[in-house]
Structure formats: structure tokens, C-alpha cells
Amino acid sequence: QVQLVESGGGLVQYGGSLRLSCVASGTISSSNFMGWYRQTGGKERELVASITNGGRANYADSLKGRFTISRDNAKNTVYLQMNDLKPEDTAVYYCQLKTGLWLQNTYWGQGTQVTVSS
């Protein structure tokens, strides 16, 4: 059974920074994607950033330059460094892991709240 545990969320002022972490445990294939999504209110969950086990990153266009995703494969951990935070970044941030030969298995963390005050 795969489990994802996020941490690092909280309350931060406009222009501040936060670093989210997500640790994956269980049986995880060496070929996998890890990523971060976020969700607010009744909206659909949206991609923030993802990264392959080889370190290739992909970002939502609107977040490039402020957010940086990275990972430590030895620790099965993915990070999201968020800088210059804005109130519109307020959301629940979810960690995602995709595994399997065709990345057909998807797992989610429980989410961590990020609130940016103006």
C-alpha cells in the first residue's frame, strides 16, 4: 500500500515563502511521477507542478518563476518551494504519485492548507 504524507502548509503573508514536503512510503516503482496539485472552493483540482524520477519538471504556466519542484529519490520525497506568494495561491495543496509501467496507478496525499494573507 502506498501512502503519501504532506507537510509544510500554513499561514503566510503576501510575498512570503513556504516549502511543502511530501513523503511517499510503500512499494513504489522506480519509474514514477510525483507532483503537486491545488484546489480551492468548488473548483477542480489543478496541476501546480510535476517531476519525473529523472528530475524533469513541468509547471503550470502561471506559476513558472515563483514555484520550484524538486525531489529526493533516496527519500521518496518531493518538495515544492513557493516564493512571492499571493492571496490567489491560497488553496489546499495535494501531493500526487503516479507509478506503474504505464503510470497507471495514481495516489494522493491528504492535502495541506496554504493560506496567504493580504
Side-chain angles (χ1 to χ4, degrees), residues 1 4 6 9-10 13 22 33 43 46 55 57 78 92 113:
Q1 185 71 16
L4 302 176
E6 300 114 332
Q13 289 187 334
C22 172
F33 274 53
K43 297 182 180 179
E46 63 176 3
V78 63
V92 178
Q113 177 71 46

Side-chain angles (χ1 to χ4, degrees), residues 4 6 35-49 60 63 90-97 106-112:
L4 302 176
E6 300 114 332
W36 292 94
Y37 284 69
R38 67 185 185 184
Q39 188 172 26
T40 58
K43 297 182 180 179
E44 289 190 2
R45 204 169 287 187
E46 63 176 3
L47 172 70
V48 174
L63 300 176
T90 295
V92 178
Y93 285 72
Y94 294 91
C95 177
Q96 183 199 64
L97 169 68
T106 301
Y107 304 93
W108 293 95
Q110 81 285 356
T112 185

Side-chain angles (χ1 to χ4, degrees), residues 2 24-34 52-53 71 73 76 97-105 107:
V2 175
S25 60
T27 302
I28 302 169
S29 63
S30 59
S31 178
N32 62 75
F33 274 53
M34 296 190 80
T52 68
N53 54 292
R71 62 186 291 168
N73 290 336
N76 285 330
L97 169 68
K98 296 180 75 67
T99 69
L101 186 60
W102 297 282
L103 301 176
Q104 71 273 22
N105 304 315
Y107 304 93

Side-chain angles (χ1 to χ4, degrees), residues 4-83:
L4 302 176
V5 178
E6 300 114 332
S7 61
L11 175 65
V12 64
Q13 289 187 334
Y14 186 104
S17 298
L18 280 176
R19 188 193 195 205
L20 305 183
S21 300
C22 172
V23 180
S25 60
T27 302
I28 302 169
S29 63
S30 59
S31 178
N32 62 75
F33 274 53
M34 296 190 80
W36 292 94
Y37 284 69
R38 67 185 185 184
Q39 188 172 26
T40 58
K43 297 182 180 179
E44 289 190 2
R45 204 169 287 187
E46 63 176 3
L47 172 70
V48 174
S50 64
I51 187 168
T52 68
N53 54 292
R56 186 167 59 190
N58 177 55
Y59 295 92
D61 287 341
S62 62
L63 300 176
K64 287 179 181 178
R66 293 195 298 123
F67 289 16
T68 302
I69 191 170
S70 60
R71 62 186 291 168
D72 184 334
N73 290 336
K75 297 180 179 179
N76 285 330
T77 300
V78 63
Y79 305 97
L80 184 69
Q81 178 66 44
M82 304 184 292
N83 298 327

